[in-house]
Amino acid sequence: MNELSPLLAQLVNGLIIGSIYGLMALGLTVIFGVLKIVNFSHGEFYMLGAYASYFVSQTMGLHPVAGIFVAILATFFLGVLIEKALLTPLYENKVERKDEYALLITFGLSLFLINMALAVFGPFQKSAPALTGGTIDLGVITLSSGKVLAALIAIALLLIMLFLINKTWLGTALRAISQDRDTSAIMGINAKRLGSIAFGLGACMAGAAGALLGPVFLVYPIMGTVPAIKSFVIIVLGSMGSIKGAIYGSLLVGLVESLGVFFLSPAYRDVYSFLILILILLCKPRGLFGGAQWNN
């Protein structure tokens, strides 16, 4: 059993990281499913969530877990404001080339947020405090208490979001807008307001992921670039727009990364997710779930 302990530890670590990746990917899926745009600034909400949590715990002296909820609220309201200010023209027939507009505006927003973070927080890396200290000894393996708590919070947030989407009026309205925005408006659904809420929900899930992974990795202005790329890999891997695909794809990427680190080299951790994407798309060009709808 001792020989299997390092492998088992990597498998568990992969599931932990994968569950947090799931927040990023699900947030991107919600935005794509409702607004029909790819948010190229998604990684910067991850970065802002990490900074929000860091400063709440370091400057205000609150527990890092409190910083996570502050990060969620801050990135949600910022996402709502940004959607109202920058993306509303997409749905008011003020833009002719909507796809190009969405691409340019979210990419420009990404550059703006990175440079704003550089100006406000500086270029130096910061080490966020762990969510909790100590370890959990399971006999065969020993786990970091902070990572386990981060995974539990991530799973709880994923379950809350799934409940919100599948079991509440808000989720029903969002699913209706994702299927037909114009018909939903005729039926009395305020698509404009709910579009802002959808963007805010996607942004706050990215912010939560940043706050959870901030203690694991370092906090710095361009920290969201690689997680954002992995989020795009995950949603393509799991089928663009599929909620189920986003979650399963996240766990698969987390496991592949951890196993790659264990069997091959930690130097190429960020490459392994691309390799599994290529292999799966060669077999299933539409992803694991074949282009499933947003509410699946």
Side-chain angles (χ1 to χ4, degrees):
M1 290 297 290
N2 289 335
E3 294 179 357
L4 292 176
S5 295
L7 175 60
L8 185 58
Q10 286 295 337
L11 288 172
V12 174
N13 186 64
L15 292 174
I16 289 173
I17 298 297
S19 65
I20 301 174
Y21 284 166
L23 288 174
M24 283 284 289
L26 185 56
L28 200 59
T29 300
V30 168
I31 293 173
F32 176 80
V34 176
L35 299 177
K36 308 304 179 189
I37 66 170
V38 178
N39 178 23
F40 285 96
S41 62
H42 201 61
E44 282 54 66
F45 288 99
Y46 170 94
M47 174 266 293
L48 292 174
Y51 269 113
S53 177
Y54 172 82
F55 278 99
V56 164
S57 58
Q58 292 292 86
T59 305
M60 301 176 65
L62 298 178
H63 194 279
V65 174
I68 294 170
F69 294 101
V70 171
I72 291 171
L73 291 174
T75 49
F76 172 79
F77 287 112
L78 180 61
V80 169
L81 290 174
I82 285 175
E83 197 280 338
K84 286 183 177 295
L86 300 179
L87 298 176
T88 297
L90 284 171
Y91 311 106
E92 293 183 346
N93 297 320
K94 295 180 179 179
V95 178
E96 292 185 3
R97 298 183 177 182
K98 294 184 177 181
D99 291 339
E100 290 88 341
Y101 176 86
L103 186 153
L104 290 173
I105 205 72
T106 56
F107 184 73
L109 177 63
S110 170
L111 295 177
F112 171 78
L113 292 175
I114 288 173
N115 283 279
M116 183 191 73
L118 282 167
V120 174
F121 306 122
F124 304 108
Q125 297 177 333
K126 303 180 187 298
S127 180
L131 297 180
T132 183
T135 58
I136 299 174
D137 188 359
L138 299 179
V140 179
I141 58 174
T142 301
L143 302 173
S144 164
S145 298
K147 283 187 178 181
V148 172
L149 179 58
L152 292 176
I153 294 174
I155 292 169
L157 292 173
L158 285 171
L159 291 175
I160 290 170
M161 184 56 58
L162 291 175
F163 176 82
L164 188 69
I165 291 171
N166 294 308
K167 301 296 183 181
T168 67
W169 177 89
L170 175 62
T172 302
L174 290 175
R175 295 201 308 274
I177 295 171
S178 74
Q179 294 173 18
D180 193 321
R181 189 181 183 91
D182 294 332
T183 302
S184 300
I186 293 172
M187 298 300 293
I189 297 174
N190 190 329
K192 183 177 178 181
R193 180 183 301 169
L194 290 180
S196 299
I197 292 174
F199 195 90
L201 288 173
C204 79
M205 280 188 278
L212 289 169
L213 285 177
V216 179
F217 305 112
L218 296 172
V219 180
Y220 52 100
I222 60 170
M223 65 179 291
T225 303
V226 172
I229 293 172
K230 288 181 181 179
S231 298
F232 289 118
V233 168
I234 288 166
I235 64 173
V236 173
L237 178 68
S239 299
M240 198 77 169
S242 169
I243 290 176
K244 180 169 60 175
I247 294 174
Y248 290 160
S250 300
L251 295 176
L252 178 60
V253 166
L255 286 171
V256 167
E257 282 188 2
S258 293
L259 292 176
V261 167
F262 181 78
F263 287 110
L264 299 174
S265 168
Y268 302 104
R269 170 189 289 273
D270 296 327
V271 176
Y272 302 134
S273 56
F274 291 98
L275 293 177
I276 193 66
L277 172 66
I278 292 169
L279 290 174
I280 287 179
L281 291 185
L282 285 173
C283 301
K284 302 192 69 174
R286 299 184 68 189
L288 290 173
F289 295 95
Q293 295 296 317
W294 178 71
N295 57 339
N296 291 327

